[in-house]
Amino acid sequence: MATFFGEVVVAPSRAGVDDEESAEEAREETPEDREIRRELEKKSAAPLPSASSAREVAVLWSSESGALAESAAEEPLVCSELIVAIGHSAAAFLSSFILDSVCWEVVGVVKLWNEWCRTSNTTNVLPTDSFCLFYRLISDPTILLCQCSCYVAEDQQFQWLEKVFGRMQKEGLTVTILSTCPVADYKTQESTLTLPSPFLKALKTKEFKEQVCCPLLEQPNIVRDLPAA
């Protein structure tokens, strides 16, 4: 470690480290590794599933009886507005400013499992929980909200989109995505220290003809992961 600014120090070298020590370090498991190993051991008692089925995304919708079940064969959901909040911050925003009333009811849930997330059916969730729930406005059933604070892996994003939007009527549907990213990832010629925090930017498709509520996101900034999909 340098004792004064500008001092030249020699980086430590691992040359000559004992092979047994390196092997021991390689054998150390992270919590994620142990979780994956336990899941594989549970599945080994049953017929071995394929990798794709182990990471399958299941979308359950409520029936007339109120039970959640897969119902792809039923009529498409008539939906005029779908607002999807992706990430803990966006999901907490919906909880605090929109869903904090009795005007909404749970109509669907997405279940998935991957290295970083395991969702559940519970509706009594906290902003720090991992979940993906759909809510319907009681006074207007064509307006749906989705809180998705669970991590959706790259190989699961197409399944998520296909199964969620595969049940919805596409004609006349407006989709709004809410997501967040660190200010440090925002690319601008200005100093990020002078930017208000938080601030809002927007992206839109050419089909969206209405006026956006905030400035458009400048190049070369991009959106990643499920919001981009």
Side-chain angles (χ1 to χ4, degrees):
M1 181 177 66
T3 57
F4 61 91
F5 181 75
E7 180 183 5
V8 178
V9 295
V10 179
S13 173
R14 292 185 57 83
V17 175
D18 187 73
D19 292 340
E20 292 184 0
E21 180 182 345
S22 299
E24 182 65 26
E25 292 178 356
R27 285 195 295 268
E28 291 183 359
E29 287 186 324
T30 65
E32 291 79 16
D33 294 334
R34 289 192 291 271
E35 180 69 18
I36 294 174
R37 180 168 53 79
R38 283 195 295 266
E39 288 297 321
L40 292 176
E41 290 173 353
K42 292 179 183 178
K43 296 177 183 296
S44 62
L48 185 63
S50 63
S52 59
S53 62
R55 299 173 66 87
E56 185 176 358
V57 176
V59 182
L60 310 178
W61 298 98
S62 62
S63 59
E64 294 183 358
S65 62
L68 293 172
E70 294 189 70
S71 51
E74 295 184 6
E75 291 295 325
L77 291 173
V78 178
C79 184
S80 61
E81 296 280 346
L82 173 63
I83 300 176
V84 185
I86 301 175
H88 290 293
S89 298
F93 174 81
L94 282 190
S95 295
S96 300
F97 295 99
I98 299 180
L99 291 172
D100 190 19
S101 67
V102 294
C103 301
W104 302 87
E105 60 180 351
V106 177
V107 294
V109 60
V110 178
K111 295 185 64 177
L112 57 88
W113 179 90
N114 54 49
E115 296 84 354
W116 302 102
C117 171
R118 177 184 297 170
T119 57
S120 64
N121 286 334
T122 179
T123 57
N124 299 319
V125 292
L126 298 174
T128 54
D129 293 337
S130 293
F131 61 94
C132 188
L133 299 175
F134 287 88
Y135 297 84
R136 177 172 57 196
L137 184 62
I138 296 176
S139 60
D140 186 353
T142 66
I143 298 180
L144 298 181
L145 297 181
C146 174
Q147 280 184 299
C148 182
S149 70
C150 61
Y151 171 73
V152 182
E154 289 186 1
D155 61 311
Q156 296 175 317
Q157 292 172 10
F158 179 75
Q159 286 189 68
W160 195 100
L161 295 168
E162 185 180 42
K163 294 189 176 182
V164 168
F165 288 100
R167 179 70 199 283
M168 295 183 181
Q169 181 177 299
K170 309 298 188 302
E171 186 177 355
L173 173 61
T174 300
V175 180
T176 302
I177 308 296
L178 304 176
S179 65
T180 59
C181 68
V183 176
D185 293 343
Y186 180 62
K187 298 176 178 61
T188 177
Q189 294 181 350
E190 304 177 23
S191 171
T192 55
L193 297 177
T194 63
L195 294 172
S197 183
F199 61 91
L200 190 64
K201 298 285 183 175
L203 288 174
K204 69 182 185 69
T205 62
K206 60 182 180 180
E207 287 79 11
F208 187 80
K209 304 301 182 183
E210 301 177 20
Q211 186 174 359
V212 294
C213 62
C214 60
L216 295 178
L217 185 66
E218 309 91 338
Q219 295 181 352
N221 293 285
I222 61 173
V223 177
R224 297 179 174 87
D225 302 321
L226 187 60

